[in-house]
Amino acid sequence: MWRWLIILFAFTLPVVGVATPNLVLTSGDYRPFISDQLAHQGVLAHIVKEAGKQQGMEIEIKFVLWQQAKIEAQTGKAHGTVGWGYTPERERDFIYSAPIYTESVVFFHLKNRYFDWQSLESLNGLNVGISEDYIEDNMLETFNQEGGSVIIHKYPNELEKVKSLLTGQSDVIIGNQYVIHDVVRNQLRNDESRHITFHPKPLRVTPLHVLFSRQHPQSALWVSQFNRGLRQLKMSGDYQRAWSAFRMGEYGLIGIPAEQP
């Protein structure tokens, strides 16, 4: 019970400023960080919404497929989208917030496959599983255009990407270390999960942001307000307390007791 106090009382700073219209941000499922199946919709959603509240912004997060999340924000149907890394292409359509989280992305493979990741050349001739519309898409396409020979397989969700290892369709897959571990632990059978491991050297370490759509003329103002609210959370220690609660399992699946630390 005492651990829930971290979440219940973590965000206590007064709300300042004049309230703006409700903002609708899109996101895909990226458990254990953000999902409509997690308490508070996950630690990233909680931080985003509470940062907004510090500046009088009421933020709603709508969950759809990742590709749809970006399209709805690109076209102005939503005000923005949560949880994206920087690319020059995305900057044409969006204004980036300050980083909300920095993720480590690694290669996963079967234990019976030797894989020593040193550079992109290590991937030549391999079937590599990636998620649709993630940074790795452009990275590997560019590498191939410059003479690489990576065979790219794109998957609409993390589970299908992980299962491609078990079927042999992918030799290696690329994913956030926590996210893939969550899939392996919670969505695979024990006789499947025990075959999967990862290479400790990251492919990339990337800040993730909230992207505000350039279709809305107030987006620059919203980004400025959001960034101020995020700074307030960090200065108060509430941002750090949210991540401590995350590490203790307090943002687990709704209705399922958190594992004891």
Side-chain angles (χ1 to χ4, degrees):
M1 176 66 70
W2 66 269
R3 292 183 300 162
W4 280 105
L5 297 179
I6 295 175
I7 288 180
L8 293 176
F9 297 105
F11 302 111
T12 55
L13 287 174
V15 173
V16 297
V18 178
T20 62
N22 288 347
L23 301 183
V24 177
L25 305 178
T26 57
S27 179
D29 189 296
Y30 206 48
R31 282 177 281 177
F33 297 106
I34 187 167
S35 169
D36 59 355
Q37 297 182 39
L38 297 174
H40 296 276
Q41 296 185 317
V43 62
L44 288 186
H46 201 189
I47 287 171
V48 166
K49 289 185 283 189
E50 292 298 331
K53 286 181 182 178
Q54 304 308 307
Q55 294 293 312
M57 304 164 68
E58 289 295 326
I59 295 175
E60 173 190 345
I61 297 181
K62 172 187 174 184
F63 287 90
V64 292
L65 295 176
W66 277 107
Q67 181 68 9
Q68 183 181 348
K70 190 183 76 166
I71 291 173
E72 289 193 11
Q74 270 179 324
T75 58
K77 186 176 180 180
H79 299 100
T81 183
V82 178
W84 298 81
Y86 174 82
T87 68
E89 294 78 16
R90 291 173 188 168
E91 191 174 30
R92 291 196 291 264
D93 297 308
F94 300 103
I95 303 174
Y96 278 71
S97 75
I100 56 174
Y101 162 67
T102 299
E103 71 170 352
S104 177
V105 169
V106 298
F107 289 99
F108 285 80
H109 59 93
L110 296 183
K111 291 179 179 178
N112 63 5
R113 167 175 286 277
Y114 175 77
F115 177 69
D116 186 18
W117 148 244
Q118 296 300 326
S119 66
L120 289 181
E121 283 73 17
S122 305
L123 304 177
N124 281 331
L126 296 183
N127 293 281
V128 179
I130 65 173
S131 297
E132 292 179 345
D133 206 38
Y134 281 19
I135 291 176
E136 290 76 30
D137 195 345
N138 285 338
M139 179 189 300
L140 295 180
E141 292 285 1
T142 299
F143 175 66
N144 279 347
Q145 291 168 8
E146 295 173 350
S149 58
V150 180
I151 306 162
I152 303 169
H153 298 274
K154 301 177 185 180
Y155 299 96
N157 58 62
E158 303 298 312
L159 178 59
E160 288 190 31
K161 186 169 65 177
V162 170
K163 284 188 172 182
S164 74
L165 285 178
L166 299 171
T167 63
Q169 186 174 35
S170 295
D171 299 309
V172 297
I173 62 171
I174 298 171
N176 179 293
Q177 187 171 335
Y178 282 96
V179 172
I180 300 300
H181 277 152
D182 184 80
V183 172
V184 170
R185 182 176 60 250
N186 294 315
Q187 299 187 58
L188 296 184
R189 303 190 309 269
N190 287 338
D191 63 323
E192 295 173 324
S193 62
R194 62 187 177 87
H195 295 295
I196 296 175
T197 188
F198 71 98
H199 195 285
K201 179 182 177 180
L203 168 63
R204 60 176 172 86
V205 178
T206 305
L208 300 185
H209 310 259
V210 179
L211 277 56
F212 288 85
S213 175
R214 293 187 185 273
Q215 293 293 320
H216 296 281
Q218 290 182 284
S219 282
L221 172 62
W222 294 332
V223 170
S224 178
Q225 289 177 302
F226 177 82
N227 287 347
R228 284 198 298 270
L230 187 60
R231 284 196 299 271
Q232 286 177 289
L233 290 183
K234 291 182 177 181
M235 290 175 62
S236 70
D238 289 337
Y239 177 90
Q240 294 82 357
R241 281 189 283 273
W243 284 108
S244 294
F246 168 78
R247 287 189 290 272
M248 290 193 297
E250 300 294 357
Y251 289 93
L253 291 171
I254 296 172
I256 299 177
E259 294 180 0
Q260 295 298 317

